[in-house]
Amino acid sequence: MIEVGRTQTLEVARLATMGIFLKEKEGKAEDAVLLPKNQVPEEVAVGQMLEVFVYKDSQDRAIATRKTPRLTLDSPAAKLEVVDKTEFGAFLDWGLEKHLFLPYKQQTEKVKLGDQVLVSLYVDKSGRLCGTMDVYDLLRDDSPYKVDDMVEGTVHALKDFGALVAVDNLYHGMVPDREVHGNLAYGETRSFRVTKVREDGKLDLSPQAKAHIQMDADSKTILEVLEHQDGFLALTDQSSPEEVARELGMSKKAFKRAVGKLYKEKRILLEDRGIRLVSP
């Protein structure tokens, strides 16, 4: 059976002025789908096998294309751009002539034109291909990664307990709330460090590198903020973790570690009201 939403190899059943009709190797001619004329190779013959992707056109008819979409039923998730919006939902560019519909009810966050949203593909009750931002159940828990590996992931949900991340747009990952520090946003793609591989195969992640590497990066951040604030930053050892996270996007522990490094290097002065940059 020819399936919409998947790439498959089909046989040329017959030639026509509008293109060619393709069917399964042992399938019936009446079940054939059209490959439009502008997609047909220069030399093609009945019985030839072609690899195509099958979806539905604007009249909800199954149609084939030799183009490769950015998302299929066999790929858990992909980031796609919002190119149009209506009262019923949004439309996404997935590399085909007909844009992919993202129903309003399948939007876990409000979207606007130009947004890059992480979505999965599904077939709705009428047999049409649609996108959904609820990707959690389609992600896998059999990643090849181990503790301290650096991975790339996209934040697909923000919860009270942390940020849910699609690692490689394929595997389950989570940044615990204590590691978020208010500087992770929905749809953000960045590097994470694996801190734990749980018994169920899901990954615990941190946006921070190993301590000695992260301390250098945090020190650089503090110096850059000082330079942009006329050499003074109103944070001290008594500042709350929330204040530190708001001003610098790091934990208080990381802040204290980086401040200690900079003070030891005599690059800052510690004052009652905050930190002052030492003039060169």
Side-chain angles (χ1 to χ4, degrees), residues 2 8-13 20-27 35 41 43-52 66:
I2 296 176
Q8 50 220 286
T9 301
L10 301 177
E11 180 182 25
V12 178
I20 59 176
F21 285 88
L22 305 170
K23 67 178 184 65
E24 290 187 293
K25 183 68 175 175
E26 304 300 330
L35 178 67
E43 295 184 10
V44 68
V46 172
Q48 184 175 338
M49 305 300 291
L50 292 177
E51 184 175 82
V52 295
R66 294 175 65 214

Side-chain angles (χ1 to χ4, degrees), residues 70-85:
R70 300 188 182 95
L71 183 65
T72 74
L73 289 175
D74 298 311
S75 54
K79 286 185 79 170
L80 304 177
E81 182 181 356
V82 178
V83 293
D84 196 10
K85 283 189 67 179

Side-chain angles (χ1 to χ4, degrees), residues 217-250:
D218 292 339
S219 299
K220 182 179 179 182
T221 296
I222 291 172
L223 290 174
E224 289 175 349
V225 172
L226 282 166
E227 289 170 357
H228 282 87
Q229 296 190 10
D230 297 324
F232 185 78
L233 176 60
L235 289 176
T236 71
D237 192 50
Q238 304 305 314
S239 298
S240 70
E242 292 74 20
E243 289 176 302
V244 174
R246 183 172 59 250
E247 291 292 328
L248 298 172
M250 67 181 69

Side-chain angles (χ1 to χ4, degrees), residues 55 83-84 90-101 129:
Y55 66 116
V83 293
D84 196 10
F91 289 90
L92 311 175
D93 178 8
W94 63 326
L96 301 182
E97 288 83 357
K98 181 187 176 186
H99 293 141
L100 179 66
F101 182 53
L129 294 170

